[in-house]
Amino acid sequence: MNPSIRQTLLEELEEVLSGIRKINGFHSDIGTALVLAEGKRDLEELPALWLTPGTEECESTRYGEDSLTLPLTIRAGLRYSLHEAPALQERAMATAAENVLADIRQALGQFEEENETADSVRYVSGGVEDWPDWSQGETSLTVSVQAEILYSTARNNPYG
């Protein structure tokens, strides 16, 4: 049996996010370690990118279609080591976080342009989720993006 439209969209988005690499014109290589639907993060294995689909909402239309909204959480975990000049490292980490946020938004735009199944892809919100407490020796942070994919299927038919 073929995968559902939702599963196909997630697989295609996973492929686009995996392409977030400097060699592809992005500012970071965060796409090299992508995990789908991972709730817990192992901070020993950073940098990493997590794609977590949420519970979608459905609205039936009068044209025999279901109009679906699939919420997504995309998280990127980054790690730095503070050396002799912590202020410079903090600034570098903040710049890296902003670059990763921009990379994810750019990838969402690329996904929307290239995907024929999604009606639209919407960036909802994003930013640094957890700034490290430098005084406690924490050196990792999480960038989080909330997005939505809108798509349609025939009423009560996840495959078409």
Side-chain angles (χ1 to χ4, degrees), residues 136-151:
Q136 298 298 313
E138 295 176 1
T139 57
S140 63
L141 64 77
T142 305
V143 174
S144 179
V145 168
Q146 300 297 315
E148 294 176 339
I149 298 176
L150 283 69
Y151 69 101

Side-chain angles (χ1 to χ4, degrees), residues 55-120:
T55 302
E56 64 189 6
E57 293 182 17
C58 177
E59 183 178 320
S60 293
T61 70
R62 62 181 174 181
Y63 304 109
E65 290 185 342
D66 286 337
S67 178
L68 298 122
T69 302
L70 172 59
L72 302 165
T73 300
I74 303 166
R75 287 189 175 92
L78 305 171
R79 178 186 304 283
Y80 267 75
S81 56
L82 295 178
H83 296 295
E84 298 166 14
L88 292 176
Q89 290 292 321
E90 290 172 3
R91 186 155 187 77
M93 194 170 202
T95 299
E98 293 302 322
N99 285 339
V100 166
L101 178 62
D103 284 348
I104 293 170
R105 288 188 68 190
Q106 181 180 344
L108 289 171
Q110 179 182 333
F111 175 73
E112 182 176 32
E113 288 175 13
E114 296 174 358
N115 189 284
E116 296 178 7
T117 307
D119 297 331
S120 70

